[in-house]
Amino acid sequence: DAKTTQPNSMESNEEEPVHLPCNHSTISGTDYIHWYRQLPSQGPEYVIHGLTSNVNNRMASLAIAEDRKSSTLILHRATLRDAAVYYCILRDGQGGSEKLVFGKGTKLTVNP
Amino acid sequence: GAGVSQSPRYKVAKRGQDVALRCDPISGHVSLFWYQQALGQGPEFLTYFQNEAQLDKSGLPSDRFFAERPEGSVSTLKIQRTQQEDSAVYLCASSISSRTLNTEAFFGQGTRLTVV
């Protein structure tokens, strides 16, 4: 599976935007970019995914670089409930295993 | 139920004891996954089912770990002769499709296993 690199931790203030970066320089043309988050004492939760174009949903936006070697998860207005570990994951589009391969993720702290 | 349900939520086992962890996926979901999460780490893949077929068990750490999904719905992860290094949170996830590339996985809250 292609690797992703994320900062270990980030901090934000409540009601401010948060940009969580992810580098994936070895991404292949058919890999989807998925983001999950894990709140304390919970299982991971799907956030968003995309292939080439930027994506928006009710939780977040995903900005994908033109060369697809990096992406950014954008939380438009952070709340205290957004404090979690955020995982950037590449899904193999060429018939690879169906599993999600998690790294260590970015621990987001939201200050009131 | 509305989501993936796992039981028990907490399990304390004496070293050498066998344990069974249950997962009830979302009704109708074809794909089912088991993950192991050690403290402070991301979840690590254990095994994958498509309906009742176990298509990938490459992540099972030893032959003490066994998973089944006999009727393509409920799944059980069994650990025989538990050891202290088996202490972790065991997560179950399900997905509606057999190809999960472009779909989301829904996770349960996990079972925290402590081996003493």
Side-chain angles (χ1 to χ4, degrees), chain B residues 6 8 14 22 30-31 37 48 55 59 63 72 74 78 84-85 87 92 103 106 111:
Chain B
Q6 293 188 244
K14 291 184 177 179
R22 177 186 170 105
V30 169
S31 297
Q37 187 170 24
Y48 162 64
L55 298 187
D63 58 7
V74 171
K78 298 179 180 177
Q84 283 194 318
E85 59 261 32
S87 296
C92 176
T103 59
F106 295 84
T111 294

Side-chain angles (χ1 to χ4, degrees), chain B residues 1-75:
Chain B
V4 177
S5 178
Q6 293 188 244
S7 61
R9 286 293 316 278
Y10 303 93
K11 176 70 178 177
V12 178
K14 291 184 177 179
R15 191 159 50 98
Q17 186 179 352
D18 297 350
V19 298
L21 311 180
R22 177 186 170 105
C23 173
D24 282 86
I26 294 172
S27 179
H29 276 201
V30 169
S31 297
L32 185 144
F33 303 82
W34 283 98
Y35 288 82
Q36 179 190 59
Q37 187 170 24
L39 192 64
Q41 303 295 315
E44 292 204 3
F45 170 79
L46 292 177
T47 188
Y48 162 64
F49 290 86
Q50 188 181 111
N51 295 308
E52 69 279 3
Q54 189 175 20
L55 298 187
D56 187 351
K57 52 182 180 180
S58 62
L60 295 176
S62 76
D63 58 7
R64 296 186 296 104
F65 286 71
F66 172 76
E68 60 183 6
R69 193 187 185 197
E71 296 178 1
S73 55
V74 171
S75 178

Side-chain angles (χ1 to χ4, degrees), chain A residues 84-96:
Chain A
V85 178
Y86 287 78
Y87 297 99
C88 170
I89 300 166
L90 298 185
R91 298 302 316 282
D92 183 352
Q94 288 193 316

Side-chain angles (χ1 to χ4, degrees), chain A residues 69-89:
Chain A
K69 293 186 177 184
S70 65
S71 61
T72 302
L73 180 70
I74 302 166
L75 307 179
H76 294 287
R77 288 184 66 207
T79 70
L80 296 178
R81 287 172 294 179
D82 291 322
V85 178
Y86 287 78
Y87 297 99
C88 170
I89 300 166

